[in-house]
Amino acid sequence: MATTTTPTEYPTGRSAEPRSDGLFRVLSLDGGGSKGVYTLGVLKEVEALANSLLCEVFDLVFGTSTGSIIAALIALGYKVEEIEHIYFTLIPTIMQRRFSSGRTKALKVEARKLFEAQTFSAFKMPIGIVCTNYGFERPMVFKYSVQQSHGRASTFKPGFGCTIADVR
């Protein structure tokens, strides 16, 4: 007897399976503070060429450091032009602090303003946010969907149950 399977779906109803062309498009954004300006320039061109929001162009977005801020805004469905406006307001506010502890505090305040109490369920596409847990000295990857759990489905919580603003 033949069985049929339905494609796995993410919480938004988006399929986790490759597109009809067989491709699964991943956008990976690195960190580097103000280097995000360059990243935004490239993303603006990609969005213009695709004539679509990047959350509709890519199947998965990953980011670390400044790239995670940009990735989160992409996954929330923002246009790159909107992200650029937010970024050019956010980065000077954070980077004007002389010491890293001051920048960390400023980032926390600005993240709360920007993302408020939104959880990972607000994302319109699968996302991974990579950061370091300094207490354990290990990298952590905050993920959006149980399909990203790699065998730990029974204990999976999107973003480990954190709000978007709490991930840093």
PDB file of all heavy atoms in Angstrom, residues 74-87:
ATOM      1  N   ILE A  74      14.246  41.272   8.478  1.00  0.00           N
ATOM      2  CA  ILE A  74      13.860  40.617   7.218  1.00  0.00           C
ATOM      3  C   ILE A  74      12.791  39.571   7.508  1.00  0.00           C
ATOM      4  O   ILE A  74      11.763  39.515   6.831  1.00  0.00           O
ATOM      5  CB  ILE A  74      15.077  39.977   6.525  1.00  0.00           C
ATOM      6  CG1 ILE A  74      15.980  41.050   5.941  1.00  0.00           C
ATOM      7  CG2 ILE A  74      14.639  38.981   5.436  1.00  0.00           C
ATOM      8  CD1 ILE A  74      17.330  40.543   5.455  1.00  0.00           C
ATOM      9  N   ALA A  75      13.028  38.733   8.508  1.00  0.00           N
ATOM     10  CA  ALA A  75      12.088  37.654   8.840  1.00  0.00           C
ATOM     11  C   ALA A  75      10.756  38.177   9.370  1.00  0.00           C
ATOM     12  O   ALA A  75       9.748  37.483   9.299  1.00  0.00           O
ATOM     13  CB  ALA A  75      12.721  36.701   9.852  1.00  0.00           C
ATOM     14  N   LEU A  76      10.745  39.398   9.881  1.00  0.00           N
ATOM     15  CA  LEU A  76       9.488  40.022  10.312  1.00  0.00           C
ATOM     16  C   LEU A  76       8.724  40.637   9.138  1.00  0.00           C
ATOM     17  O   LEU A  76       7.588  41.073   9.300  1.00  0.00           O
ATOM     18  CB  LEU A  76       9.757  41.089  11.379  1.00  0.00           C
ATOM     19  CG  LEU A  76      10.135  40.547  12.750  1.00  0.00           C
ATOM     20  CD1 LEU A  76      10.643  41.666  13.650  1.00  0.00           C
ATOM     21  CD2 LEU A  76       8.957  39.818  13.403  1.00  0.00           C
ATOM     22  N   GLY A  77       9.358  40.669   7.962  1.00  0.00           N
ATOM     23  CA  GLY A  77       8.675  41.155   6.764  1.00  0.00           C
ATOM     24  C   GLY A  77       8.952  42.597   6.396  1.00  0.00           C
ATOM     25  O   GLY A  77       8.252  43.175   5.567  1.00  0.00           O
ATOM     26  N   TYR A  78       9.982  43.202   6.979  1.00  0.00           N
ATOM     27  CA  TYR A  78      10.328  44.583   6.642  1.00  0.00           C
ATOM     28  C   TYR A  78      10.978  44.662   5.275  1.00  0.00           C
ATOM     29  O   TYR A  78      11.701  43.758   4.862  1.00  0.00           O
ATOM     30  CB  TYR A  78      11.326  45.150   7.658  1.00  0.00           C
ATOM     31  CG  TYR A  78      10.730  45.547   8.985  1.00  0.00           C
ATOM     32  CD1 TYR A  78      10.417  44.596   9.939  1.00  0.00           C
ATOM     33  CD2 TYR A  78      10.513  46.893   9.291  1.00  0.00           C
ATOM     34  CE1 TYR A  78       9.891  44.959  11.173  1.00  0.00           C
ATOM     35  CE2 TYR A  78       9.996  47.264  10.520  1.00  0.00           C
ATOM     36  CZ  TYR A  78       9.686  46.289  11.456  1.00  0.00           C
ATOM     37  OH  TYR A  78       9.173  46.650  12.670  1.00  0.00           O
ATOM     38  N   LYS A  79      10.753  45.776   4.574  1.00  0.00           N
ATOM     39  CA  LYS A  79      11.477  46.080   3.346  1.00  0.00           C
ATOM     40  C   LYS A  79      12.885  46.524   3.729  1.00  0.00           C
ATOM     41  O   LYS A  79      13.091  47.097   4.803  1.00  0.00           O
ATOM     42  CB  LYS A  79      10.803  47.231   2.597  1.00  0.00           C
ATOM     43  CG  LYS A  79       9.440  46.911   2.051  1.00  0.00           C
ATOM     44  CD  LYS A  79       8.876  48.137   1.351  1.00  0.00           C
ATOM     45  CE  LYS A  79       7.504  47.821   0.805  1.00  0.00           C
ATOM     46  NZ  LYS A  79       6.921  48.989   0.129  1.00  0.00           N
ATOM     47  N   VAL A  80      13.846  46.312   2.839  1.00  0.00           N
ATOM     48  CA  VAL A  80      15.221  46.696   3.131  1.00  0.00           C
ATOM     49  C   VAL A  80      15.325  48.202   3.371  1.00  0.00           C
ATOM     50  O   VAL A  80      16.065  48.650   4.250  1.00  0.00           O
ATOM     51  CB  VAL A  80      16.197  46.232   2.028  1.00  0.00           C
ATOM     52  CG1 VAL A  80      17.609  46.738   2.303  1.00  0.00           C
ATOM     53  CG2 VAL A  80      16.200  44.715   1.921  1.00  0.00           C
ATOM     54  N   GLU A  81      14.565  48.987   2.649  1.00  0.00           N
ATOM     55  CA  GLU A  81      14.573  50.440   2.860  1.00  0.00           C
ATOM     56  C   GLU A  81      14.169  50.793   4.302  1.00  0.00           C
ATOM     57  O   GLU A  81      14.766  51.668   4.930  1.00  0.00           O
ATOM     58  CB  GLU A  81      13.628  51.114   1.868  1.00  0.00           C
ATOM     59  CG  GLU A  81      13.646  52.621   1.923  1.00  0.00           C
ATOM     60  CD  GLU A  81      12.740  53.239   0.865  1.00  0.00           C
ATOM     61  OE1 GLU A  81      12.702  52.738  -0.273  1.00  0.00           O
ATOM     62  OE2 GLU A  81      12.067  54.230   1.201  1.00  0.00           O
ATOM     63  N   GLU A  82      13.169  50.094   4.832  1.00  0.00           N
ATOM     64  CA  GLU A  82      12.748  50.308   6.223  1.00  0.00           C
ATOM     65  C   GLU A  82      13.841  49.865   7.197  1.00  0.00           C
ATOM     66  O   GLU A  82      14.108  50.540   8.196  1.00  0.00           O
ATOM     67  CB  GLU A  82      11.472  49.524   6.523  1.00  0.00           C
ATOM     68  CG  GLU A  82      10.270  49.963   5.731  1.00  0.00           C
ATOM     69  CD  GLU A  82       9.099  48.998   5.862  1.00  0.00           C
ATOM     70  OE1 GLU A  82       9.301  47.771   5.704  1.00  0.00           O
ATOM     71  OE2 GLU A  82       7.990  49.487   6.127  1.00  0.00           O
ATOM     72  N   ILE A  83      14.477  48.731   6.892  1.00  0.00           N
ATOM     73  CA  ILE A  83      15.551  48.216   7.744  1.00  0.00           C
ATOM     74  C   ILE A  83      16.708  49.204   7.757  1.00  0.00           C
ATOM     75  O   ILE A  83      17.288  49.483   8.811  1.00  0.00           O
ATOM     76  CB  ILE A  83      16.018  46.831   7.259  1.00  0.00           C
ATOM     77  CG1 ILE A  83      14.880  45.814   7.361  1.00  0.00           C
ATOM     78  CG2 ILE A  83      17.238  46.358   8.047  1.00  0.00           C
ATOM     79  CD1 ILE A  83      15.154  44.487   6.688  1.00  0.00           C
ATOM     80  N   GLU A  84      17.027  49.743   6.601  1.00  0.00           N
ATOM     81  CA  GLU A  84      18.111  50.710   6.495  1.00  0.00           C
ATOM     82  C   GLU A  84      17.828  51.936   7.372  1.00  0.00           C
ATOM     83  O   GLU A  84      18.715  52.411   8.100  1.00  0.00           O
ATOM     84  CB  GLU A  84      18.288  51.119   5.032  1.00  0.00           C
ATOM     85  CG  GLU A  84      19.492  51.960   4.753  1.00  0.00           C
ATOM     86  CD  GLU A  84      19.629  52.224   3.264  1.00  0.00           C
ATOM     87  OE1 GLU A  84      18.678  52.765   2.659  1.00  0.00           O
ATOM     88  OE2 GLU A  84      20.700  51.889   2.721  1.00  0.00           O
ATOM     89  N   HIS A  85      16.616  52.429   7.340  1.00  0.00           N
ATOM     90  CA  HIS A  85      16.233  53.583   8.173  1.00  0.00           C
ATOM     91  C   HIS A  85      16.406  53.251   9.665  1.00  0.00           C
ATOM     92  O   HIS A  85      16.980  54.036  10.421  1.00  0.00           O
ATOM     93  CB  HIS A  85      14.794  54.003   7.875  1.00  0.00           C
ATOM     94  CG  HIS A  85      14.309  55.095   8.773  1.00  0.00           C
ATOM     95  ND1 HIS A  85      14.727  56.403   8.641  1.00  0.00           N
ATOM     96  CD2 HIS A  85      13.474  55.065   9.836  1.00  0.00           C
ATOM     97  CE1 HIS A  85      14.164  57.125   9.598  1.00  0.00           C
ATOM     98  NE2 HIS A  85      13.401  56.342  10.328  1.00  0.00           N
ATOM     99  N   ILE A  86      15.915  52.084  10.064  1.00  0.00           N
ATOM    100  CA  ILE A  86      16.045  51.646  11.464  1.00  0.00           C
ATOM    101  C   ILE A  86      17.521  51.515  11.820  1.00  0.00           C
ATOM    102  O   ILE A  86      17.964  51.990  12.872  1.00  0.00           O
ATOM    103  CB  ILE A  86      15.311  50.301  11.683  1.00  0.00           C
ATOM    104  CG1 ILE A  86      13.808  50.502  11.566  1.00  0.00           C
ATOM    105  CG2 ILE A  86      15.684  49.686  13.028  1.00  0.00           C
ATOM    106  CD1 ILE A  86      13.009  49.212  11.430  1.00  0.00           C
ATOM    107  N   TYR A  87      18.283  50.897  10.961  1.00  0.00           N
ATOM    108  CA  TYR A  87      19.698  50.628  11.206  1.00  0.00           C
ATOM    109  C   TYR A  87      20.495  51.915  11.383  1.00  0.00           C
ATOM    110  O   TYR A  87      21.316  52.042  12.287  1.00  0.00           O
ATOM    111  CB  TYR A  87      20.256  49.796  10.048  1.00  0.00           C
ATOM    112  CG  TYR A  87      21.591  49.183  10.320  1.00  0.00           C
ATOM    113  CD1 TYR A  87      21.708  48.011  11.051  1.00  0.00           C
ATOM    114  CD2 TYR A  87      22.754  49.773   9.845  1.00  0.00           C
ATOM    115  CE1 TYR A  87      22.941  47.435  11.300  1.00  0.00           C
ATOM    116  CE2 TYR A  87      23.995  49.208  10.090  1.00  0.00           C
ATOM    117  CZ  TYR A  87      24.076  48.041  10.818  1.00  0.00           C
ATOM    118  OH  TYR A  87      25.300  47.483  11.059  1.00  0.00           O
TER     119      TYR A  87
END
